[in-house]
């Protein structure tokens, strides 16, 4: 049957909580990258929870334009390759995400509230992470933020839509080994 024939298709989405019902009622499609994606944008979701209801069927999840504060709460989702978290309120990234989302290749955190490079270091266990976007976060105001992130995440291929070159990688490792004269938290 055609999805347009479903009377609940255009019913208002539940707001605030990421529930199994919301996941089931949200658009699911093959995205432009050929990944099977669930679209959970704009639901005022404040915490990542109940993603076990996806039964690990998605390559990509779009949680943009919500109110998520901390990157945590994932069940084991080995199929997941892409997570879009644009325009949330993320201030913290949990440690040990590699235990629940080990195959993440792309993480988009544009327009959040990340201030501290320490949180980015918490992504170091995600060995398959190739693309990271942190534009629009306070930490990106540091003139050396790219070098710091590349040093913390040596497996990155792209940072903020720019290729990580061998030259930049060498520069990032020399910047990290330079003596600190003062301590800034970004």
């Amino acid at each position: 049957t055609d999805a347009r024939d479903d009377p609940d298709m255009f019913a208002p989405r539940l707001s605030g909580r990421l529930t199994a019902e919301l996941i089931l009622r949200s658009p699911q499609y093959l995205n432009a990258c050929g990944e099977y994606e669930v679209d959970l944008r704009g639901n005022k979701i404040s915490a990542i929870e109940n993603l076990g209801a996806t039964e690990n069927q998605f390559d990509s999840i779009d949680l943009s334009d919500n109110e998520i504060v901390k990157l945590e709460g994932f069940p084991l989702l080995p199929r997941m390759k892409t997570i879009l978290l644009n325009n949330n309120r993320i201030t913290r990234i949990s440690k040990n995400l590699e235990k629940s989302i080990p195959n993440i290749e792309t993480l988009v955190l544009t327009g959040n509230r990340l201030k501290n490079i320490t949180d980015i270091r918490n992504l170091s266990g995600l060995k398959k992470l190739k693309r990271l976007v942190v534009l629009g976060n306070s930490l990106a105001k540091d003139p050396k933020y790219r070098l710091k992130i590349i040093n913390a995440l040596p497996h990155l291929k792209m940072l903020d839509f720019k290729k990580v070159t061998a030259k930049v990688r060498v520069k990032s490792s020399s910047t990290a080994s330079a003596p600190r004269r003062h301590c800034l938290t970004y």
Side-chain angles (χ1 to χ4, degrees):
T1 67
D2 191 333
R4 290 174 288 194
D5 296 334
D6 181 358
D8 293 327
M9 178 69 180
F10 300 105
R13 294 182 177 188
L14 299 174
S15 292
R17 293 217 43 216
L18 180 49
T19 62
E21 182 182 354
L22 177 61
I23 292 166
L24 292 171
R25 291 177 55 165
S26 294
Q28 302 171 10
Y29 49 84
L30 198 61
N31 68 20
C33 297
E35 298 172 330
Y36 193 44
E37 181 172 309
V38 61
D39 180 352
L40 296 165
R41 297 175 74 101
N43 287 292
K44 298 182 181 175
I45 296 166
S46 59
I48 297 170
E49 59 186 348
N50 298 316
L51 285 177
T54 66
E55 297 179 356
N56 193 37
Q57 294 181 28
F58 298 98
D59 305 300
S60 177
I61 186 166
D62 189 347
L63 286 161
S64 300
D65 304 317
N66 281 294
E67 298 173 3
I68 298 166
V69 175
K70 188 170 182 183
L71 187 56
E72 67 176 356
F74 292 95
L76 179 60
L77 296 171
R79 183 173 171 177
M80 190 70 57
K81 293 180 187 164
T82 302
I83 302 176
L84 307 173
L85 286 153
N86 308 307
N87 305 319
N88 274 279
R89 298 177 180 176
I90 297 172
T91 57
R92 302 290 311 275
I93 297 173
S94 181
K95 294 180 181 179
N96 302 318
L97 288 172
E98 66 275 7
K99 292 180 180 176
S100 52
I101 49 174
N103 297 311
I104 289 296
E105 296 176 4
T106 304
L107 180 58
V108 180
L109 294 166
T110 307
N112 279 285
R113 298 177 182 175
L114 293 167
K115 297 177 184 174
N116 195 325
I117 194 75
T118 303
D119 284 309
I120 298 299
R121 286 188 187 110
N122 288 343
L123 299 172
S124 64
L126 296 171
K127 301 299 183 195
K128 295 185 180 181
L129 184 64
K130 298 176 189 171
R131 292 169 291 278
L132 177 65
V133 184
V134 296
L135 294 169
N137 285 278
S138 296
L139 64 81
K141 293 177 183 173
D142 177 356
K144 294 187 179 184
Y145 87 96
R146 281 183 57 81
L147 297 175
K148 292 177 181 179
I149 290 174
I150 292 165
N151 185 61
L153 306 174
H155 45 275
L156 281 183
K157 304 281 187 224
M158 295 193 76
L159 176 58
D160 293 340
F161 305 108
K162 293 181 185 175
K163 186 176 179 179
V164 176
T165 63
K167 183 179 177 180
V168 170
R169 201 172 299 283
V170 168
K171 188 174 181 182
S172 75
S173 62
S174 65
T175 300
S177 61
R180 292 186 183 189
R181 296 208 167 87
H182 57 286
C183 187
L184 297 175
T185 39
Y186 285 98

